[in-house]
Amino acid sequence: MQKQGFKTILLMMTAVIALVALVAGCTIGGGGDSSSGGGGTAPTTEAAPVAKVTSSPADGAVDVSPTAQVTLTVADGTLENVALTNADGTLVTGALNPAGTVFTVGEPLGYGATYTWSGTALGTDKKQVPVTGSFTTVTPASRTSVNTNIGDGQVVGVAAPIILKFDDAIVDKAAVEKALTVTTNPPTAGAWAWLPDDGGSRIHWRPQNYWVPGTTVKVDAKLYGVNYGGGQYGDSDVTIDFSIGAAQIVKADATSHRMQVVRDGQTVMDIPVSYGEGNEDRNVTRSGIHVVSEKYEDFMMSNPPYYTNVRERWATRISNNGEFIHANPATTGVQGSSNVTNGCINLSTEDAQTYFQMAVYGDPVEVTGTRIDLSAADGDIYDWAIDWATWQTMSAL
């Protein structure tokens, strides 16, 4: 019995060893030679999100113009909850396009400020990508302001130029001029011209010929953010809407000793006057197209050595060289027959008041018959003394 049991055990052990060998043989046969390294399965790597976000200006950009186009764009996805904020956390106005792929900022930014993006982009693979990045706008060395000669809603005469006067000298005049637009109804031929600096640069726009009465005019000066050169930038935009009144023209022939006011082709005044005596250049009333620029019911006039601080009534300024149309009772006796003034056009008190009340900024005063022409030496509005071909060459563009 004992021997038989031993044989049984031995047979069972032999069978187990054979089974182990068979299993081992299957493993080797399926995976190839173990020494080749191909026996295991490589670990899997998750695919990267497909959404790609780009910004303009680029992340980290500096000295960005506050009026530059600012956008955030995603490829292979859509933008979600996108926002641009300044350092105080204030949201900047913007809008997402219908496709949800481009966010565009809709307002000018501030000078010297840092702006930061936030939000997410959802890719076509349904994976989210965070929106990050920032940029900084330029800090000007100085900010230059501008003043205008015409107010919003004002009605002006047919010779009125549009004047923009800057409080500093402008280096890059072309950059400024590109930011200026004049829109008229009916369409009006005209051009910008840079006149000599007068405590700051100045640019004038005038029509080729007198304005058509009733014309409406819109001036858009998109100057905020414009680089003027030399570290100067535009301080603010300027917009003016105004209109042109009647064609009221003063005809002032010094040889006739009279003055006519012609409104829309009809003579409404024809009065005796006295012009400059002309014994010295300083006393010559300048020939040329003057422009009514100011009115004073009372004005203290001086013209040394002839007189100082003399009170004159109903004074209408027609140039910055001291020429006025005004009342002067002292010359009433020679008005209509002789020219005896120091360059102004003298009227009786009654006539001066009547003209004063009808005079409008921008009305032309056409002086003829004297030996000296109006020029740049006579003040800030001598635009019509410049012929049209020359005027066009005075543009920076």
Side-chain angles (χ1 to χ4, degrees):
M1 289 291 295
Q2 291 178 350
K3 289 182 179 181
Q4 187 176 2
F6 178 78
K7 287 181 178 180
T8 300
I9 294 170
L10 182 61
L11 289 172
M12 292 175 64
M13 292 178 64
T14 302
V16 170
I17 293 169
L19 179 61
V20 171
L22 179 62
V23 172
C26 288
T27 303
I28 293 170
D33 185 80
S34 62
S35 64
S36 69
T41 300
T44 59
T45 302
E46 186 177 2
V50 299
K52 301 295 182 185
V53 179
T54 56
S55 61
S56 177
D59 182 25
V62 296
D63 293 335
V64 174
S65 169
T67 56
Q69 186 176 52
V70 178
T71 59
L72 192 74
T73 305
V74 64
D76 298 321
T78 55
L79 298 170
E80 298 180 327
N81 303 318
V82 171
L84 183 69
T85 56
N86 64 15
D88 297 328
T90 302
L91 289 173
V92 177
T93 301
L96 197 61
N97 70 343
T101 57
V102 181
F103 180 89
T104 304
V105 168
E107 64 176 316
L109 305 179
Y111 283 118
T114 297
Y115 292 86
T116 303
W117 289 108
S118 62
T120 58
L122 180 65
T124 54
D125 57 359
K126 305 304 180 184
K127 295 179 181 178
Q128 286 188 326
V129 174
V131 171
T132 60
S134 64
F135 62 90
T136 303
T137 54
V138 67
T139 300
S142 64
R143 295 169 58 170
T144 301
S145 299
V146 64
N147 295 308
T148 65
N149 65 317
I150 300 174
D152 207 37
Q154 188 172 349
V155 178
V156 300
V158 296
I162 301 165
I163 301 174
L164 301 181
K165 172 70 180 301
F166 296 85
D167 57 11
D168 287 306
I170 301 300
V171 177
D172 191 347
K173 292 182 169 64
V176 170
E177 200 169 330
K178 289 176 183 177
L180 307 178
T181 303
V182 177
T183 306
T184 67
N185 184 24
T188 304
W192 291 104
W194 291 90
L195 276 67
D197 287 6
D198 181 18
S201 293
R202 55 185 175 135
I203 184 170
H204 293 208
W205 192 98
R206 55 154 271 218
Q208 181 177 1
N209 302 301
Y210 289 158
W211 294 100
V212 173
T215 299
T216 58
V217 186
K218 184 178 185 64
V219 181
D220 278 312
K222 301 295 187 182
L223 297 172
Y224 177 74
V226 174
N227 185 351
Y228 293 170
Q232 298 178 55
Y233 282 78
D235 182 70
S236 58
D237 292 341
V238 175
T239 302
I240 316 169
D241 290 278
F242 66 95
S243 60
I244 308 302
Q248 182 167 271
I249 303 169
V250 172
K251 302 288 187 177
D253 180 12
T255 62
S256 72
H257 315 300
R258 298 190 70 83
M259 184 185 94
Q260 292 81 35
V261 179
V262 181
R263 183 186 303 135
D264 294 330
Q266 300 296 316
T267 300
V268 295
M269 291 188 75
D270 188 345
I271 53 177
V273 301
S274 180
Y275 295 90
E277 182 178 10
N279 59 325
E280 297 182 31
D281 287 354
R282 62 189 295 168
N283 294 333
V284 175
T285 306
R286 291 345 190 208
S287 286
I289 301 174
H290 300 62
V291 177
V292 170
S293 56
E294 294 178 310
K295 299 199 302 182
Y296 303 92
E297 289 189 18
D298 290 278
F299 193 77
M300 302 301 292
M301 294 188 182
S302 296
N303 188 1
Y306 303 103
Y307 57 88
T308 302
N309 291 328
V310 174
R311 177 176 175 262
E312 301 290 4
R313 296 279 289 158
W314 311 114
T316 301
R317 183 188 290 276
I318 61 173
S319 80
N320 270 3
N321 68 354
E323 290 175 305
F324 285 81
I325 299 173
H326 68 90
N328 189 348
T331 65
T332 300
V334 297
Q335 291 170 13
S337 60
S338 182
N339 295 327
V340 299
T341 80
N342 297 113
C344 292
I345 303 175
N346 284 185
L347 286 64
S348 69
T349 300
E350 181 181 357
D351 287 341
Q353 182 177 1
T354 300
Y355 173 68
F356 178 94
Q357 291 170 339
M358 68 173 62
V360 174
Y361 179 91
D363 283 347
V365 177
E366 300 176 352
V367 178
T368 56
T370 71
R371 62 183 176 83
I372 300 178
D373 290 335
L374 186 73
S375 70
D378 296 303
D380 58 349
I381 305 180
Y382 57 96
D383 302 32
W384 297 97
I386 302 170
D387 67 86
W388 182 243
T390 302
W391 182 270
Q392 292 177 297
T393 68
M394 295 164 66
S395 163
L397 301 179

